[in-house]
Amino acid sequence: MVCGGFACSKNCLCALNLLYTLVSLLLIGIAAWGIGFGLISSFRVVGVAIAVGIFLFLIALVGLIGAVKHHQVLLFFYMIILLLIFIVQFSVSCACLALNKEQQSQLLEVGWNNTNSARTDIERNLNCCGFRTFDPNETCLSDCFRSHQCRPCLLVIEEYSGMVLRFVGGIGLFFSFTEILGVWLTYRYRNQKDPRANPSAFL
C-alpha cells in the first residue's frame, strides 16, 4: 500500500521532527559535555552550539505540534523556516566539500586569529604551538612546549581538516535533503483533509 494518506503523512512528519529533536538534544549535550570535561574552554563555541541546538529543538517542536494538531498556521511557518534552513545548510555543505587546501588554510588562519580560547584548546589537545611557525618565546600550554620541540598547529590541523570538512559537508547534505523532504511532507499534509473532521469543514 502506497504511503499517501493523511495518517501516513502525519506519522512521517512526526517521525522526522522527533529525529530533529534528538539531534538538537544531542548537540546541546555534546557542547555541555565538552565544556564540563574541560575539552572546550571557548564559551563562544559552546554558546553557538547550544544556540543552534535550542533553535533546532524549537523548530522541531513547532513542526511536531503542527503535525499532531494539523494546525495550518504552524505548519505554514514551519515549512517556510525549514525551506530557509535548507537553502543555508545546502550552500554551507557544498562550500565545505568544495574547499581546496589553500582555502582551508586561509579559513583556519582567520579562525585562529579571531579567538584566543579556542587557540588554547587546540594547542593543548593537539600538542602543538603557534599556527604556521613555532616561537619558543610565546606562551603555550601544550606538553611539548616544555621541551621546545613543538610542531606548528597548521601542520597538525591539516591532517584532519580535510576529513572533518568532508564529514561535516556529508552530514550537512544528508540533513538538508531530510529538510526538503520535510517541506514536501508539510506541503502535502497541509492540503489533506482529516478523515475524522467534519466532512463539510473547509481546509
Side-chain angles (χ1 to χ4, degrees):
M1 184 177 179
V2 179
C3 180
F6 179 87
C8 185
S9 298
K10 177 180 178 179
N11 292 336
C12 288
L13 204 53
C14 288
L16 189 64
N17 284 289
L18 285 174
L19 173 64
Y20 290 154
T21 302
L22 291 175
V23 171
S24 67
L25 293 176
L26 184 64
L27 189 60
I28 296 171
I30 288 174
W33 176 80
I35 199 168
F37 281 85
L39 298 176
I40 305 173
S41 61
S42 173
F43 285 99
R44 183 185 300 176
V45 173
V46 173
V48 169
I50 292 177
V52 170
I54 292 173
F55 177 73
L56 182 59
F57 178 80
L58 293 175
I59 295 302
L61 192 61
V62 169
L64 199 58
I65 294 173
V68 170
K69 294 184 175 295
H70 198 228
H71 196 288
Q72 295 292 311
V73 177
L74 285 179
L75 289 172
F76 174 77
F77 282 109
Y78 170 75
M79 183 173 63
I80 296 300
I81 294 171
L82 209 59
L83 183 61
L84 294 175
I85 293 173
F86 163 76
I87 294 171
V88 173
Q89 189 168 319
F90 184 79
S91 303
V92 172
S93 300
C94 290
C96 286
L97 295 172
L99 285 175
N100 57 38
K101 282 209 166 187
E102 184 180 350
Q103 291 169 328
Q104 290 177 25
S105 176
Q106 293 173 352
L107 188 64
L108 289 169
E109 188 167 12
V110 169
W112 181 272
N113 293 329
N114 286 335
T115 175
N116 290 323
S117 52
R119 186 188 312 174
T120 303
D121 291 334
I122 292 170
E123 289 178 337
R124 187 177 68 248
N125 294 325
L126 297 183
N127 199 28
C128 60
C129 286
F131 187 70
R132 293 188 181 273
T133 56
F134 168 58
D135 186 357
N137 296 319
E138 291 184 354
T139 304
C140 182
L141 298 179
S142 65
D143 294 333
C144 66
F145 186 71
R146 299 169 188 169
S147 60
H148 295 288
Q149 294 180 343
C150 295
R151 298 173 63 192
C153 289
L154 177 61
L155 298 178
V156 182
I157 295 172
E158 279 185 337
E159 296 176 3
Y160 305 100
S161 61
M163 179 182 65
V164 169
L165 284 172
R166 286 193 297 271
F167 177 77
V168 170
I171 293 293
L173 279 179
F174 170 76
F175 277 103
S176 65
F177 285 117
T178 66
E179 286 155 9
I180 203 66
L181 173 65
V183 170
W184 175 73
L185 279 172
T186 307
Y187 175 78
R188 187 178 70 167
Y189 181 58
R190 284 187 76 242
N191 292 286
Q192 289 176 328
K193 184 170 288 187
D194 189 345
R196 296 170 299 178
N198 184 0
S200 62
F202 179 75
L203 280 176

